């Protein structure tokens, strides 16, 4: 009856979340399950940590290099996130991946999310929330790699970010990680069915279809004989 042609362009998905909300784990699992999905690798001026790898976790560059990229308009968005260090999303790579029809995830903070939403209102904004601050405390202790000053900073930032949740489209509480992943996947599946992704609906000619049907083309075996004398 009809043929729906949908936009080929991939979806831009932002995943933000409070400290220790588990967004990294959720994103890692999503990428393992959906081979076509891509994660944007950000640039940062902050120092490389622990077992992070340059070009995998971030592209680690100097402040000067970062500021040069700002001047050259190489970022889709950027912000000073923690301790005045820059974090930014490269523009060119993202555009290419979206054009090829693949979805791109940006794991960025609320300031970056706001900038991208303004540029591309169709961006899907998902906020991942830890189930409680008690749970956040437990997770920070379990990680155990930060000093008190850094922990206080994480909590302060988390409080500020929670106030920004209304600017997002979806919020997912990460109580059980498998449930949280399922919720994010369901959001993405629903997004693909959005009416504004339709480019064209080709509807076959109604009169022709009706004519063919009534004239028996569709059910040859029991073609009615209109000439037969029924008396
Ligand atoms: P870290 O990697 O230092 O633990 O945390 C980095 C913080 O910066 C996270 O909140 C993360 O979401 C955010 N972030 C990472 N990359 C980007 C980016 O490209 N742009 C913005 N605005 N935030 C980012």
């Amino acid at each position: 009856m009809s043929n729906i042609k949908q936009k080929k362009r991939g979806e831009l998905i932002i995943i933000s979340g409070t400290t220790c909300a588990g967004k990294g784990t959720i994103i890692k699992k999503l990428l393992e399950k959906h081979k076509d999905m891509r994660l944007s690798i950000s640039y940062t001026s902050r120092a490389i940590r622990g077992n992070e790898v340059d070009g995998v976790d971030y592209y680690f560059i100097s402040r000067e290099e970062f500021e040069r990229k700002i001047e050259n308009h190489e970022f889709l968005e950027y912000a000073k996130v923690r301790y005045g260090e820059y974090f930014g999303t490269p523009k060119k790579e993202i555009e290419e991946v979206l054009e090829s029809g693949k979805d791109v995830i940006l794991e960025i903070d609320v300031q970056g999310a706001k900038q991208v939403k303004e540029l591309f209102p169709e961006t899907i904004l998902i906020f991942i929330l830890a189930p409680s601050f008690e749970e956040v405390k437990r997770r920070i202790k379990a990680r155990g790699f930060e000093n008190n000053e850094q922990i206080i900073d994480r909590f302060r930032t988390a409080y500020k970010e929670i106030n920004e949740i209304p600017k997002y489209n979806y919020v997912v509480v990460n109580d059980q990680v498998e449930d949280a992943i399922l919720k994010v996947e369901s959001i993405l599946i629903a997004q693909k069915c959005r009416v504004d992704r339709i480019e064209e609906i080709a509807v076959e000619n109604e009169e022709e279809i009706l004519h063919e049907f009534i004239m028996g083309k569709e059910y040859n075996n029991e073609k009615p004989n209109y000439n037969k004398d029924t008396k």
Side-chain angles (χ1 to χ4, degrees), residues 15-17 23 42-43 46 49 52 58 77-79 81-82 87-89 107-109 111-113 115 154 161:
I15 299 190
S16 308
K23 57 184 191 299
S42 297
Y43 283 82
R46 85 146 160 75
R49 271 195 321 235
E52 285 179 331
Y58 289 104
E77 63 74 36
Y78 69 91
V81 179
R82 228 173 255 159
F87 290 79
T89 307
E107 185 193 339
I108 62 176
D109 82 329
Q111 307 173 70
Q115 294 176 46
R154 277 187 186 270
E161 287 180 338

Side-chain angles (χ1 to χ4, degrees), residues 4-12 36 94-104 122 191-192 194-200:
I4 290 186
K5 192 171 154 213
Q6 289 192 303
K7 280 182 195 157
K8 195 176 156 273
R9 193 177 160 83
E11 296 280 358
L12 190 54
D36 254 8
I94 302 245
E95 191 47 45
E96 283 167 5
V97 180
L98 289 174
E99 269 307 303
S100 75
K102 294 190 172 78
D103 297 337
V104 182
E122 67 279 14
Q191 288 293 330
K192 292 280 179 197
R194 269 183 1 243
V195 170
D196 64 8
R197 279 192 66 87
I198 298 174
E199 223 161 46
E200 195 185 316

Side-chain angles (χ1 to χ4, degrees), residues 5-202:
K5 192 171 154 213
Q6 289 192 303
K7 280 182 195 157
K8 195 176 156 273
R9 193 177 160 83
E11 296 280 358
L12 190 54
I13 305 141
I14 291 183
I15 299 190
S16 308
T18 46
T19 182
C20 290
K23 57 184 191 299
T25 312
I26 293 173
I27 292 172
K28 190 165 166 263
K29 293 261 169 84
L30 274 176
L31 294 170
E32 279 167 13
K33 281 175 85 174
H34 303 275
K35 299 288 178 207
D36 254 8
M37 221 172 248
R38 293 286 177 271
L39 175 66
S40 157
I41 300 173
S42 297
Y43 283 82
T44 182
S45 64
R46 85 146 160 75
I48 192 162
R49 271 195 321 235
N51 46 15
E52 285 179 331
V53 178
D54 185 28
V56 175
D57 297 284
Y58 289 104
Y59 294 108
F60 295 94
I61 58 174
S62 67
R63 253 163 188 276
E64 294 69 39
E65 244 180 292
F66 202 104
E67 283 166 358
R68 222 176 11 251
K69 283 181 180 292
I70 296 174
E71 276 168 27
N72 291 340
H73 307 285
E74 289 180 39
F75 293 116
L76 185 66
E77 63 74 36
Y78 69 91
K80 279 188 176 170
V81 179
R82 228 173 255 159
Y83 309 118
E85 295 298 351
Y86 287 117
F87 290 79
T89 307
K91 193 163 26 183
K92 192 164 161 269
E93 289 89 328
I94 302 245
E95 191 47 45
E96 283 167 5
V97 180
L98 289 174
E99 269 307 303
S100 75
K102 294 190 172 78
D103 297 337
V104 182
I105 298 179
L106 310 184
E107 185 193 339
I108 62 176
D109 82 329
V110 294
Q111 307 173 70
K114 236 162 79 183
Q115 294 176 46
V116 177
K117 187 77 178 177
E118 271 162 28
L119 280 174
F120 301 106
E122 67 279 14
T123 309
I124 306 157
L125 268 58
I126 304 175
F127 196 92
I128 311 287
L129 203 55
S132 66
F133 269 103
E134 276 312 306
E135 180 57 19
V136 171
K137 278 198 256 173
R138 198 191 61 72
R139 291 179 189 176
I140 286 180
K141 274 190 198 149
R143 281 194 190 177
F145 57 73
E146 286 183 315
N147 61 37
N148 283 352
E149 192 195 327
Q150 288 167 323
I151 292 173
I152 290 167
D153 184 68
R154 277 187 186 270
F155 268 86
R156 293 241 161 90
T157 307
Y159 270 99
K160 271 191 235 147
E161 287 180 338
I162 286 171
N163 287 327
E164 301 290 322
I165 291 178
K167 299 201 175 93
Y168 281 67
N169 302 110
Y170 299 95
V171 61
V172 171
V173 177
N174 182 12
D175 202 347
Q176 298 293 325
V177 73
E178 292 306 329
D179 286 353
I181 292 165
L182 191 62
K183 284 178 188 167
V184 174
E185 283 178 316
S186 309
I187 291 167
L188 300 182
I189 291 169
Q191 288 293 330
K192 292 280 179 197
C193 303
R194 269 183 1 243
V195 170
D196 64 8
R197 279 192 66 87
I198 298 174
E199 223 161 46
E200 195 185 316
I201 304 184

